[in-house]
């Protein structure tokens, strides 16, 4: 009887030790961290942007022996963009179209008392983009064709006024960084440089050349479809 009692006590102690060990292992099991999703930049996107722009208009004329005049102008821009990205490893290739309204304005006074004024009312571009993706961050450069509507006003010394509005074509380059803060949403900051060349404009029978360039810094958001 004594041997049976000792055997039962030993069995109970072994079972209790095993249960305690099992409970301890369950209690202190490491908690698995949630797995972060891998972001894929491939797909179409649509978005908007706001920013600030500045630039110069260099005026020259055959009758100006003193040289040229520089008209600085600046103002706000805002618009939208539509594009497509295709990712291959860390490399992201894309095509994007942009159009923005603007109020870039500036004026200067000429050598004979003339008043020369310029205003760019919109900017547009179609660009190719090449980027390097680091998960949710995309560092990119871009370049392509650009257009603007440039309104020029000439007031001579006698107070006569001439106005011309021309759609100017040129080229643009830029760079930026974009970050995905949600599965379908990204935000970006970007710098763009536009060069619209040296174009002839006639005021009061006299021919003037206006050389225009613009710089823009903008921020915006994009919505990506089909993620």
């Amino acid at each position: 009887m004594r041997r049976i009692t000792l055997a039962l006590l030993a069995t109970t102690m072994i079972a209790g030790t095993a249960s305690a060990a099992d409970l301890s292992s369950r209690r202190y099991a490491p908690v698995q961290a949630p797995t972060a999703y891998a972001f894929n930049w491939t797909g179409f996107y649509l978005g908007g942007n706001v920013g600030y722009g500045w630039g110069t208009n260099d005026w020259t004329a055959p009758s100006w022996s003193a040289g040229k005049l520089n008209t600085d102008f600046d103002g706000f821009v805002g618009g939208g963009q539509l594009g497509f990205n295709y990712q291959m490893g860390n490399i992201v290739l894309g095509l994007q179209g942009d159009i923005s309204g603007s109020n870039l304005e500036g004026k200067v006074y000429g050598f004979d008392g003339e008043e020369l004024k310029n205003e760019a009312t919109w900017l547009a571009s179609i660009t190719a983009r090449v980027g390097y993706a680091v998960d949710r961050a995309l560092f990119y450069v871009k370049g392509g064709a650009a257009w603007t509507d440039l309104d020029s006003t000439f007031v001579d010394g006698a107070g006569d006024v001439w106005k011309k509005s021309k759609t100017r074509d040129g080229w643009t380059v830029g760079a930026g960084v974009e970050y995905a803060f949600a599965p379908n949403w990204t935000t970006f900051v970007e710098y763009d440089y536009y060069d619209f060349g040296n174009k002839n404009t006639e005021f009061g029978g006299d021919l003037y050349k206006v050389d225009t360039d613009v710089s823009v810094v903008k921020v915006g958001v994009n919505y990506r479809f089909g993620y």
Side-chain angles (χ1 to χ4, degrees), residues 25-35:
S25 64
R26 291 182 182 179
R27 182 179 299 173
Y28 297 105
V31 178
Q32 296 293 329
T35 303

Side-chain angles (χ1 to χ4, degrees), residues 127-174:
T127 54
R129 303 202 315 171
V130 179
Y132 186 84
V134 184
D135 193 22
R136 301 191 195 185
L138 177 65
F139 303 88
Y140 63 88
V141 294
K142 58 185 289 189
W147 299 266
T148 189
D149 178 72
L150 188 66
D151 297 338
S152 300
T153 303
F154 182 91
V155 183
D156 65 15
D160 295 322
V161 180
W162 290 270
K163 293 184 177 181
K164 293 290 179 68
S165 179
K166 283 190 174 183
T167 298
R168 302 275 296 272
D169 60 273
W171 54 269
T172 180
V173 292

Side-chain angles (χ1 to χ4, degrees), residues 196-211:
F196 297 105
N198 200 352
K199 301 296 192 300
N200 292 327
T201 303
E202 184 180 339
F203 295 103
D206 295 324
L207 191 64
Y208 297 83
K209 289 186 177 181
V210 183
D211 189 1

Side-chain angles (χ1 to χ4, degrees), residues 47-51 77-81 96 98-100 188 216 218-222:
N49 66 81
V50 294
V77 299
Q81 61 278 343
Q96 180 173 294
D98 301 74
I99 185 166
S100 298
F188 67 90
V216 174
K218 58 187 177 182
V219 296
V221 294
N222 286 320

Side-chain angles (χ1 to χ4, degrees), residues 117-134:
K117 181 179 178 181
N118 292 107
E119 179 182 8
T121 57
W122 55 263
L123 295 165
S125 66
I126 297 177
T127 54
R129 303 202 315 171
V130 179
Y132 186 84
V134 184

Side-chain angles (χ1 to χ4, degrees), residues 9 59 78 86 100 125 131 141 178 186 197 222:
L9 288 174
W59 291 70
Y86 183 74
S100 298
S125 66
V141 294
E178 190 169 0
T186 64
N222 286 320

